[in-house]
Amino acid sequence: MDNRLNVTYITFDGHVEVHRYRYLYFVIMFTMYILIISSNFTVVSIIVIHKSLHEPMYIFIAALLINSVLFSTVIYPKLLIDFLSEKQIISYSACLFQWFSFYSLAASEFFLLSVMAYDRYVSICNPLQYSTIMRKTTVNMFLIFAWVLPVCEVSVPMLLSAKKEICKFHLKGIHCNSTVPKLHCVSSRLLHIYGMVALASAVLFPVLFILFTYTRILVISYRCRGVRTKAAQTCLPHLLVLINFSCFIAYDVLIPRLEVDFPKIVRLIMALQIITYHPLFNPIIYGLKMRGIYEHLKRLFCKRV
């Protein structure tokens, strides 16, 4: 704690040999951040520019990719500063904000994937009613819901944590995540219960809903041969993104709660995969697997060559 400024600082203990490899870490992660921003916004720009892609499915994909950029921006700037700093520290208030932003955007990812699953369900299982159900107003409401609801859910534990006294000043990680409550002098049963409820509503229920809708789509596609190709082309990318992100979030949330003591290098590798692999995976999988986007990407890069 800095008594002169009355600011409490938290130290990140998840870095490995940062003093020796600081410039290597910085160059690698800065390159990854640029790749994340450029790849995601390339696909978003294609969706915005081409009117043929102004459909609910592509609008939701654009929202998901923007969410990925925001998700990365919550972590990368601070991480890059830490690589070049003598001490890897963050004020407690900034840590709470990073924690809040990280999990609200992560929850938004699951809600957006749920909306995309519903969109595919209506398109494949009720094609005649698709234009009536998925109107512009409905799409806008889904987007607002996907971003506002997680903010409301995650703001509660953040506000509760802000009022609690902390006795520990070290985090076993490289950013503020679900280990933040372990800094408190006295663990809160209310905070723990609310966290489990929020986890169920923000992750478990959306995942179950997605699996239910895709099961229904799978049943319909096997009954009707004409929709098999459409189902495979549009649903497979969503399922790959869901599986990928669910595995990383499950690790990030559950491992600290189970208090499994992994070696520091393992924790660092997993943390870097969460903030690097997934934001890069989204634009690649949608750019290659969604034919509408892939065709425009191919024209764009073929012209340049």
Side-chain angles (χ1 to χ4, degrees):
M1 177 181 289
D2 191 330
N3 293 323
R4 293 173 301 172
L5 301 176
N6 195 27
V7 177
T8 301
Y9 288 101
I10 307 300
T11 301
F12 294 121
D13 282 344
H15 294 277
V16 177
E17 304 242 11
V18 67
H19 296 294
R20 180 182 297 182
Y21 302 114
R22 64 169 73 250
Y23 297 112
L24 178 62
Y25 284 153
F26 180 86
V27 171
I28 293 174
M29 297 310 294
F30 181 75
T31 303
M32 298 305 294
Y33 187 40
I34 296 300
L35 284 174
I36 289 170
I37 293 175
S38 57
S39 59
N40 279 279
F41 276 125
T42 296
V43 178
V44 171
S45 298
I46 285 174
I47 294 172
V48 171
I49 292 171
H50 297 282
K51 292 184 178 180
S52 60
L53 300 180
H54 291 183
E55 300 176 4
M57 177 178 65
Y58 295 108
I59 291 173
F60 293 140
I61 290 174
L64 191 73
L65 298 184
I66 291 173
N67 197 76
S68 293
V69 173
L70 295 174
F71 181 82
S72 300
T73 303
V74 168
I75 304 298
Y76 274 85
K78 179 64 176 86
L79 189 61
L80 293 172
I81 292 172
D82 284 342
F83 288 146
L84 299 180
S85 302
E86 289 299 321
K87 295 181 179 180
Q88 291 72 48
I89 60 175
I90 187 172
S91 67
Y92 184 56
S93 58
C95 186
L96 288 177
F97 179 75
Q98 189 181 64
W99 177 39
F100 161 77
S101 302
F102 182 85
Y103 286 110
S104 61
L105 290 168
S108 293
E109 186 105 359
F110 284 105
F111 283 119
L112 286 169
L113 288 170
S114 299
V115 171
M116 293 164 76
Y118 177 72
D119 173 75
R120 292 299 84 206
Y121 172 77
V122 176
S123 175
I124 294 172
C125 300
N126 296 292
L128 298 179
Q129 299 178 6
Y130 182 77
S131 58
T132 303
I133 296 174
M134 298 302 295
R135 294 175 296 178
K136 184 177 180 180
T137 305
T138 306
V139 172
N140 291 336
M141 286 180 61
F142 280 151
L143 291 176
I144 294 171
F145 172 83
W147 272 309
V148 172
L149 182 60
V151 168
C152 296
E153 285 187 341
V154 182
S155 62
V156 174
M158 185 196 68
L159 293 174
L160 291 174
S161 295
K163 296 179 180 179
K164 294 188 71 66
E165 184 181 0
I166 62 173
C167 293
K168 299 177 183 178
F169 303 92
H170 293 78
L171 280 175
K172 292 182 179 180
I174 59 175
H175 65 89
C176 297
N177 56 9
S178 57
T179 58
V180 170
K182 294 184 179 294
L183 301 174
H184 300 156
C185 297
V186 179
S187 60
S188 172
R189 186 173 179 82
L190 175 63
L191 192 60
H192 179 75
I193 294 174
Y194 182 86
M196 296 303 295
V197 173
L199 181 65
S201 63
V203 178
L204 182 59
F205 292 158
V207 169
L208 291 176
F209 174 77
I210 293 168
L211 294 177
F212 170 76
T213 54
Y214 282 133
T215 300
R216 292 289 301 162
I217 290 172
L218 185 64
V219 172
I220 295 295
S221 65
Y222 271 97
R223 290 178 181 174
C224 307
R225 293 184 178 180
V227 300
R228 288 183 187 177
T229 303
K230 181 180 179 180
Q233 288 179 348
T234 60
C235 296
L236 181 60
H238 304 328
L239 281 174
L240 291 175
V241 170
L242 174 67
I243 294 169
N244 173 66
F245 194 61
S246 297
C247 291
F248 285 132
I249 289 299
Y251 168 85
D252 185 75
V253 174
L254 296 179
I255 293 301
R257 291 177 179 273
L258 297 175
E259 298 185 352
V260 179
D261 191 18
F262 283 112
K264 184 182 285 189
I265 185 64
V266 175
R267 294 201 306 268
L268 177 63
I269 291 172
M270 289 303 298
L272 290 177
Q273 286 195 66
I274 293 171
I275 63 175
T276 300
Y277 180 70
H278 176 70
L280 273 177
F281 182 78
N282 283 0
I284 291 173
I285 198 67
Y286 286 120
L288 295 179
K289 293 296 183 180
M290 300 298 291
R291 177 174 292 183
I293 298 174
Y294 175 72
E295 292 299 325
H296 289 293
L297 280 173
K298 190 166 65 173
R299 293 193 196 108
L300 175 65
F301 289 106
C302 284
K303 284 182 180 179
R304 291 186 176 181
V305 173

